[in-house]
Amino acid sequence: MFEYAPAPESRSIVSIRPSYDLFIDGEFVAAKSDERIVTVNPADEEPLSEVAAAGEADVDRAFAAARRAFEQVWGPLPAAERGKYLFRIARIIQERARELAVLESLDNGKPIKETRDIDLPLVAQHFFYYAGWADKLRHAGAGTKPLGVAAQVIPWNFPLLMLAWKVAPALATGNTVVLKPAETTPLTALAFAEICQEAGLPPGVVNIVTGAGDTGRAVVAHPGADKVAFTGSTEVGRQIARAVAGTRKRLTLELGGKGANIVYDDAAIDQAVEGIVSGIFFNQGHVCCAGSRLLVQESIADELLERLRARIELLRLGDPLDKNTDIGAINSAAQLARIRELTAAGEAEGATSWSPACELPERGYWFRPTVFTGVTQAHRVAREEIFGPVLSVLTFRTPEEAVAKANNTPYGLSAGVWTEKGSLMLWTASRLRAGVVWSNTFNVFDPASPFGGYKESGYGREGGLLGLEAYLG
């Protein structure tokens, strides 16, 4: 194994204000309340900044600004002109990509090589992609009438990317936005507010209200919202569905998952191992579509697990700003406690856990990559979303058994299939109840490809043409 010298990215490229206000009607404005939320660096628990906590009066102001902008400016604006603003935003994101990547790693805890090479390029791609759609809606058969004001609530695992998934199609179709970022990762959303100013976006088109759960509830329940889009936990998704039921609001939900990664005995094992590692350990497993259940054909299980453990031992855990780091910090103390609770339950229920020997930093929120074997379908680690770097391994003998086990979950967001036989791939994929099925790969995203789930993974699609339809009447 090679020894890697430290290769830290510089923090000096990022300037973080000690305090941030709300972004309403094109300006940063003080909240009506004095409550502030401190956001910390998960890697060392040091405070980064404090942000305002928006109350109902602040949310009212944001929706009033969004409605005014929709009716007077953005809605009547020619579609080609809207597209120009999105192109401009995309270019500014590219110009500031290094800065935004560092800021995301500081606030979220994920490795810089992921924010730099995956998150930020995809953020820019989404704005470029939907900018191109803005003046072509009448050719797409999706309608051309915007819904109005979109209330959007995003999670902490991909803060800026989830913003792009929601804001870009909403603006391209002529809607305006009130967005609430996650309370633990608000900084890149507030940097995006500065980008909106830099791009000359008309005031009120994008409004960003920071805060915790109460702020999110006020945004979702606001009578001024015509559309609600939420990405997050299934539990909160249920609450939102109940709040929206019986209203005129349109709703899309992208919720939890417990994705199956199926490896048949004819698969290229080394390639499958790489896909398994990226499927569960990418972003510390903070991925709703993570391949957290490995279903491996019994005849190759021992060989695959041996190679998988050898590969996991090469992963490097540590400073998220080090370009060599593969596994960064868990996003928060609360999430770390959840991961610890479920892994303890797995051990108590009789599954066998294995982790590589690696030293954890003294400060921050850290968890070693973990593999459970001897798992049954009744184990909590096989049924509940852990949202961390924890893999549960089950075996199967026949394709029918693989599909039955893969579908034996309340979720239905993602799956992966590894085989050299095209017919077996298609047979399996057509029977999986998952919104996204990857073929001999995992966790590959493209703005032109729709993404979403079934069952308790939510409904509606983001990305591609279907992502536009969610914002059109």
Side-chain angles (χ1 to χ4, degrees):
M1 178 178 175
F2 289 109
E3 291 296 327
Y4 287 82
E9 175 63 275
S10 173
R11 287 185 57 159
S12 64
I13 194 172
V14 173
S15 177
I16 301 176
R17 303 180 197 173
S19 178
Y20 287 88
D21 291 324
L22 310 173
F23 184 69
I24 297 175
D25 209 14
E27 300 289 341
F28 284 95
V29 297
K32 298 290 187 183
S33 74
D34 295 328
E35 184 182 353
R36 312 291 288 184
I37 295 174
V38 176
T39 181
V40 303
N41 182 345
D44 59 16
E45 302 176 60
E46 291 297 321
L48 293 170
S49 183
E50 62 175 26
V51 299
E56 290 189 4
D58 302 305
V59 173
D60 284 341
R61 283 193 293 167
F63 274 96
R67 178 65 58 187
R68 187 165 56 250
F70 171 70
E71 293 178 349
Q72 298 178 10
V73 182
W74 197 248
L77 195 68
E81 295 301 310
R82 290 201 303 267
K84 290 178 182 178
Y85 282 104
L86 268 72
F87 277 123
R88 197 174 304 155
I89 289 170
R91 288 193 295 270
I92 295 172
I93 288 169
Q94 286 184 319
E95 291 166 1
R96 296 180 60 175
R98 184 182 173 201
E99 168 201 351
L100 293 168
V102 172
L103 183 60
E104 196 79 298
S105 288
L106 287 171
D107 206 21
N108 172 274
K110 65 173 68 181
I112 186 68
K113 70 178 183 181
E114 292 181 6
T115 59
R116 179 195 64 197
D117 299 342
I118 299 171
D119 290 29
L120 262 298
L122 278 171
V123 170
Q125 287 170 28
H126 274 80
F127 278 97
F128 276 123
Y129 175 78
Y130 283 114
W133 267 116
D135 62 350
K136 303 173 185 68
L137 298 177
R138 66 184 184 278
H139 304 297
T144 58
K145 184 180 179 182
L147 297 175
V149 179
Q152 301 179 332
V153 180
I154 58 174
W156 47 260
N157 57 334
F158 291 92
L160 194 55
L161 182 56
M162 292 297 99
L163 179 151
W165 276 28
K166 287 176 170 54
V167 172
L171 298 192
T173 47
N175 299 274
T176 56
V177 166
V178 177
L179 179 134
K180 191 203 87 73
E183 62 185 286
T184 60
T185 54
L187 296 186
T188 46
L190 294 165
F192 180 77
E194 297 172 353
I195 289 171
C196 290
Q197 290 179 320
E198 189 177 345
L201 194 69
V205 174
V206 169
N207 305 273
I208 296 174
V209 290
T210 49
D214 288 344
T215 304
R217 281 185 282 274
V219 168
V220 167
H222 199 279
D226 301 296
K227 152 81 178 177
V228 175
F230 171 76
T231 296
S233 71
T234 297
E235 178 187 355
V236 175
R238 287 197 193 99
Q239 296 173 13
I240 291 172
R242 285 194 288 267
V244 170
T247 71
R248 58 177 175 76
K249 299 174 186 175
R250 294 264 292 273
L251 176 65
T252 51
L253 296 172
E254 196 265 282
L255 308 175
K258 194 70 181 175
N261 215 350
I262 301 171
V263 183
Y264 285 110
D265 59 7
D266 67 315
I269 292 185
D270 287 335
Q271 181 185 355
V273 165
E274 292 301 315
I276 294 162
V277 167
S278 105
I280 184 58
F281 300 127
F282 170 59
N283 197 28
Q284 294 72 256
H286 297 335
V287 186
C288 48
C289 56
S292 52
R293 289 182 299 146
L294 173 61
L295 302 180
V296 56
Q297 199 148 14
E298 197 173 274
S299 59
I300 62 164
D302 290 343
E303 180 185 1
L304 185 141
L305 284 171
E306 182 181 350
R307 296 198 202 181
L308 178 61
R309 291 189 185 102
R311 179 66 182 89
I312 292 171
E313 286 181 334
L314 299 179
L315 296 176
R316 295 175 296 277
L317 180 149
D319 180 8
L321 288 186
D322 191 319
K323 301 180 189 74
N324 297 320
T325 296
D326 299 301
I327 306 284
I330 303 302
N331 179 250
S332 66
Q335 185 57 33
L336 179 58
R338 163 78 175 168
I339 296 168
R340 287 173 171 167
E341 177 206 346
L342 282 170
T343 52
E347 293 172 350
E349 290 174 348
T352 301
S353 70
W354 173 88
S355 297
C358 62
E359 187 176 341
L360 299 182
E362 293 182 3
R363 290 181 58 80
Y365 313 125
W366 304 93
F367 196 86
R368 292 180 180 88
T370 299
V371 177
F372 275 100
T373 52
V375 177
T376 73
Q377 296 179 82
H379 281 126
R380 288 182 67 191
V381 291
R383 300 200 63 79
E384 297 184 33
E385 184 179 37
I386 300 174
F387 222 60
V390 180
L391 178 68
S392 298
V393 182
L394 301 94
T395 60
F396 66 90
R397 293 183 178 179
T398 65
E400 290 79 9
E401 184 184 357
V403 169
K405 285 186 173 179
N407 288 339
N408 183 20
T409 173
Y411 298 105
L413 189 56
S414 68
V417 183
W418 300 82
T419 174
E420 295 294 287
K421 299 185 182 73
S423 58
L424 181 57
M425 175 68 68
L426 293 172
W427 182 93
T428 306
S430 66
R431 287 162 175 77
L432 293 173
R433 285 290 290 167
V436 178
V437 180
W438 283 291
S439 169
N440 290 323
T441 190
F442 212 95
N443 274 341
V444 175
F445 304 97
D446 187 284
S449 179
F451 182 92
Y454 296 100
K455 300 187 287 187
E456 292 191 12
S457 290
Y459 46 81
R461 295 294 181 266
E462 293 180 306
L465 179 58
L466 292 178
L468 287 168
E469 292 177 351
Y471 290 92
L472 290 168

